[in-house]
Amino acid sequence: MVTLSAYQSLLVPINDFLQCETPDSWINEASKAENLSMLLIDHMICELKAAQTAAWLIRKYAVDKPSGDVLLNWLAPYENLIYRQEGSLTELLASHHDISKKLTLRANCAYSHELVDKMVMLIKEELHHFCQVLSIMEQRQIAYQNISAGRYAKKLMQQVRTHEPATLVDKLICGAYIEARSCERFAKLSAYVDDELACFYISLLRSESRHYQDYLKLAQHISDTDISERVSTIGLVEAELIDSTDNEFRFHSGVPLK
C-alpha cells in the first residue's frame, strides 16, 4: 500500500503556501460514512470544473476560435454526463484526445505556448481523475445526483480584478489556491478513509501539487510586477473561507455547522 510518508517533502511547500490548515471539524465530517456520497460527487464535479477553467483560460487568452471549439468538444462528453446524465464511464474511457496538434496559438500572445502546454496537461489529468472518481462511485453503487455549488470557488473569484493582465493573474492565483487546498485535503483525508480511497487520494498528490506550482509560475510570468502581495491577499480570503462556518458540506467547504 502506498503511504503518505513518501510524500511529506512534497507537502511542505503546500502547507507553507496555504495560510491555514483544514480544521479537524471538516475532517471529522468528511470521514463520516453518510457523507461519502457527497464527498465523491463533489470531488468529481471539482475535477470537471478544474478542466473547464483551464480550457476557458486557453480559449480566452491563447488560441483562435477553431481551436477553442476543439477544446469545447473535448469536454462535451464529460459535461453531458454531469449536466444531462448522458453517456457512461465506458464511453469516456474509450475516447482518445490528442489535441495539442489541433490548437493554433495566437501570434500576438507572448505567453500562449506556456499557457497551452501547462493547461492542456492539467485538463488531461483532471479528466482522468474525473473518470477515476466515477469508477469508484460505480464500484460502490453511488449514483450521481445534482448538487448545489459550494461558496468556496465563487468567493475566491470575487477577488479577481477587472482589468488585464491583472484579471488573468488573479484567476491563476485562485487556481493555485484551489489546487493546493485540494492537495492538502487529500493528504489529510487519507488517514481517515478506507484503504482504497486512501491509496487513491495519495496518488493524486503529485499532480495536484504540480498544478498549484504551474498556476503560480504562469501568474508570475504574465504579471509585470511581483505577485507576492496578490498571493497573500487572496490567500487571506481563502483561509477565511476554510476557517469560517459553512452551512453546507462540500469538498472545499469551511467549518461545518454543529
Side-chain angles (χ1 to χ4, degrees), residues 22-30 185 189 249-251 253-254 256:
T22 290
D24 290 341
S25 58
W26 184 90
I27 295 295
N28 292 337
E29 195 72 14
R185 289 202 160 173
L189 268 176
F249 172 73
R250 295 292 186 271
F251 186 78
S253 58

Side-chain angles (χ1 to χ4, degrees), residues 2 6 12 16 22 35 37 51 55 69 76 88 104 118 134 145-146 151 157 168-169 196 200 218 236 247:
V2 178
V12 170
D16 287 343
T22 290
N35 285 328
S37 295
D69 292 339
S88 67
T104 301
K118 292 188 183 302
L134 181 56
Q145 57 181 298
N146 292 323
R151 63 176 185 165
M157 290 302 172
L168 175 54
V169 169
E196 180 192 31
F200 175 50
L218 277 170
L236 286 172
N247 61 7

Side-chain angles (χ1 to χ4, degrees), residues 205-240:
L205 299 182
R206 196 170 300 281
S207 59
E208 299 298 309
S209 66
R210 187 178 67 257
H211 294 168
Y212 117 82
Q213 292 172 339
D214 285 347
Y215 270 122
L216 276 186
K217 288 175 183 176
L218 277 170
Q220 186 57 78
H221 176 65
I222 291 164
S223 177
D224 51 8
T225 60
D226 184 83
I227 65 171
S228 299
E229 183 176 347
R230 287 303 295 166
V231 168
S232 178
T233 298
I234 294 174
L236 286 172
V237 175
E238 197 274 344
E240 172 63 21

Side-chain angles (χ1 to χ4, degrees), residues 28-61:
N28 292 337
E29 195 72 14
S31 59
K32 293 178 180 177
E34 62 265 30
N35 285 328
L36 179 60
S37 295
M38 179 63 73
L39 187 70
L40 290 173
I41 290 170
D42 197 41
H43 178 185
M44 185 170 68
I45 293 171
C46 287
E47 299 291 359
L48 176 59
K49 287 181 177 177
Q52 289 173 317
T53 298
W56 183 88
L57 290 170
I58 296 173
R59 292 172 55 232
K60 171 73 174 177
Y61 295 102

Side-chain angles (χ1 to χ4, degrees), residues 37 64 80 149 195 223:
S37 295
D64 61 11
N80 287 339
D195 288 350
S223 177

Side-chain angles (χ1 to χ4, degrees), residues 5 10 23 25 30 44 51 75 111 126 128 130-131 179 184 187 210 212 219-220 226 243:
S5 59
L10 179 150
S25 58
M44 185 170 68
L75 294 178
Y111 49 80
E126 303 291 19
H128 175 61
F130 177 100
C131 290
E179 297 290 338
E184 185 245 12
R210 187 178 67 257
Y212 117 82
Q220 186 57 78
D226 184 83
D243 270 341

